[in-house]
């Protein structure tokens, strides 16, 4: 019983080895593309090979767009910081009600002042 099983495993050893390797890659969440990129980078660094694209108008334009995007992101951060610094903090509706109440109180005081002025003129 054991001998036929061992012979079968011996005949299918490459398939068994591939199943073990594939299960390891599945558990490690690696794809063949990731592995080939890693191996290509290792071989390229060992040989001392550099890969590049010759400079053309499209490359320059893409580089300028990337630089402009970085600048715009920095400006956006600065504007957000300024907006946070200028924000009143708390509830805006509450502050509007306080301001409206203050304006109303000043209006009442001005009317009271006019009333007292008119009353004083009539007494003189």
């Amino acid at each position: 019983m054991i001998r036929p099983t061992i012979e079968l495993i011996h005949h299918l050893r490459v398939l068994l080895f591939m199943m073990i390797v594939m299960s390891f890659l599945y558990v490690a969440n690696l794809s063949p593309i990731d592995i080939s990129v890693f191996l290509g980078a290792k071989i390229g660094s060992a040989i001392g090979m550099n890969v590049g694209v010759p400079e053309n108008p499209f490359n320059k334009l893409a580089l300028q767009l990337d630089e402009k995007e970085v600048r715009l992101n920095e400006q956006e951060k600065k504007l957000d910081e300024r907006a946070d610094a200028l924000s009143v903090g708390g509830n805006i509706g509450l502050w509007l009600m306080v301001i409206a109440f203050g304006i109303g109180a000043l209006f009442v005081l001005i009317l009271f002042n006019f009333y007292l002025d008119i009353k004083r003129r009539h007494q003189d």
Side-chain angles (χ1 to χ4, degrees):
M1 172 87 183
I2 292 178
R3 186 177 171 106
T5 307
I6 292 174
E7 286 178 0
L8 179 67
I9 290 174
H10 183 68
H11 289 305
L12 299 175
R13 66 181 178 259
V14 173
L15 181 62
L16 182 63
F17 178 71
M18 290 303 293
M19 286 176 42
I20 292 171
V21 168
M22 295 306 263
S23 63
F24 170 76
L25 293 176
Y26 178 75
V27 170
N29 199 15
L30 293 173
S31 68
I33 295 172
D34 293 336
I35 294 169
S36 63
V37 167
F38 174 74
L39 290 176
K42 285 295 185 184
I43 291 171
S45 66
I47 296 173
M49 176 176 62
N50 274 338
V51 177
V53 177
E55 194 170 302
N56 60 31
F58 298 111
N59 290 347
K60 288 182 183 179
L61 184 61
L63 183 61
Q64 289 172 353
L65 285 174
D66 290 339
E67 290 172 357
K68 187 164 187 159
E69 183 180 5
V70 169
R71 279 197 318 258
L72 287 175
N73 286 337
E74 289 174 2
Q75 287 178 354
E76 184 180 3
K77 287 180 185 177
K78 288 179 184 176
L79 286 175
D80 287 341
E81 290 172 1
R82 285 182 63 190
D84 290 340
L86 292 176
S87 68
V88 178
N91 193 358
I92 301 294
L94 177 67
W95 285 104
L96 288 175
M97 288 180 61
V98 169
I99 290 171
F101 178 75
I103 290 172
L106 288 174
F107 183 71
V108 168
L109 288 174
I110 290 171
L111 288 179
F112 186 64
N113 188 20
F114 279 130
Y115 170 75
L116 290 177
D117 283 342
I118 291 171
K119 188 175 176 182
R120 189 183 58 170
R121 285 186 194 158
H122 286 298
Q123 285 180 357
D124 290 342

